Amino acid sequence: MINITLSGNSQLGHPLLYVMLIVMISTAIAQVKFLNRAMQSFDATVVVPTNFVLFTISAIISGIVLYKEFYGLTFLEIFMFLFGCVLSFIGVYCITSERKQEESEEQLLLTKADLFPGFLSLSSSKLIAVQPSNMLTASHVEYPMLPGKPTYESTADTQQSQGET
């Protein structure tokens, strides 16, 4: 339609242009909506490859139906094209399945409450008690990134040692 309009025959008077615009805008909004729902429910390493594979399959089927892409091709050429698509999908699966395990280990390390003592996010507040019974002082918190392990003392022990002096 753009080529026809640029050649001098305006397409703005045809209702098909407006139907296509409405369909494109509504499907774009629906895709973003469903992708957001999927990202809330599942990990990105599952959602993004699934979206890639389904979008590619729909683009291939659309090309076959609308533009008759396979017209005039031999069976071997069609088979090789589809085999290449399947290999691409298998490659995406292999890459994301390995990546998911690495990210989950990194994610566990980064969400430990010991990394940010006193700073409780929504995710880490459920993992530790807000006010434990032996109330640790800030100087005795263990930082896993730093060498050496300081000993834990409760505030009661600290107060007793200060009272003896």
Side-chain angles (χ1 to χ4, degrees), residues 36-158:
N36 282 335
R37 269 194 203 163
M39 293 292 281
Q40 290 172 354
S41 301
F42 303 101
D43 192 24
T45 58
V46 174
V47 174
V48 173
T50 304
N51 183 48
F52 166 74
V53 169
L54 291 177
F55 180 78
T56 304
I57 289 173
S58 67
I60 291 169
I61 292 172
S62 298
I64 291 170
V65 172
L66 294 176
Y67 302 114
K68 299 177 183 161
E69 287 181 346
F70 288 170
Y71 183 75
L73 296 179
T74 65
F75 175 76
L76 181 62
E77 292 170 333
I78 294 171
F79 175 77
M80 293 303 287
F81 174 77
L82 295 176
F83 184 68
C85 293
V86 169
L87 282 179
S88 172
F89 301 152
I90 291 171
V92 168
Y93 171 76
C94 290
I95 290 171
T96 57
S97 64
E98 259 182 51
R99 185 174 180 197
K100 182 178 179 181
Q101 294 169 355
E102 291 172 6
E103 283 183 2
S104 63
E105 290 171 6
E106 289 175 10
Q107 198 173 25
L108 287 175
L109 290 175
L110 294 177
T111 56
K112 280 188 175 180
D114 292 339
L115 290 176
F116 303 103
F119 178 78
L120 299 176
S121 66
L122 292 175
S123 62
S124 65
S125 64
K126 297 174 186 172
L127 299 175
I128 62 170
V130 177
Q131 293 180 346
S133 60
N134 62 348
M135 296 181 60
L136 303 174
T137 61
S139 63
H140 299 296
V141 176
E142 178 183 350
Y143 296 96
M145 301 287 237
L146 301 176
K149 290 188 173 186
T151 58
Y152 284 91
E153 287 185 39
S154 67
T155 54
D157 294 340
T158 307

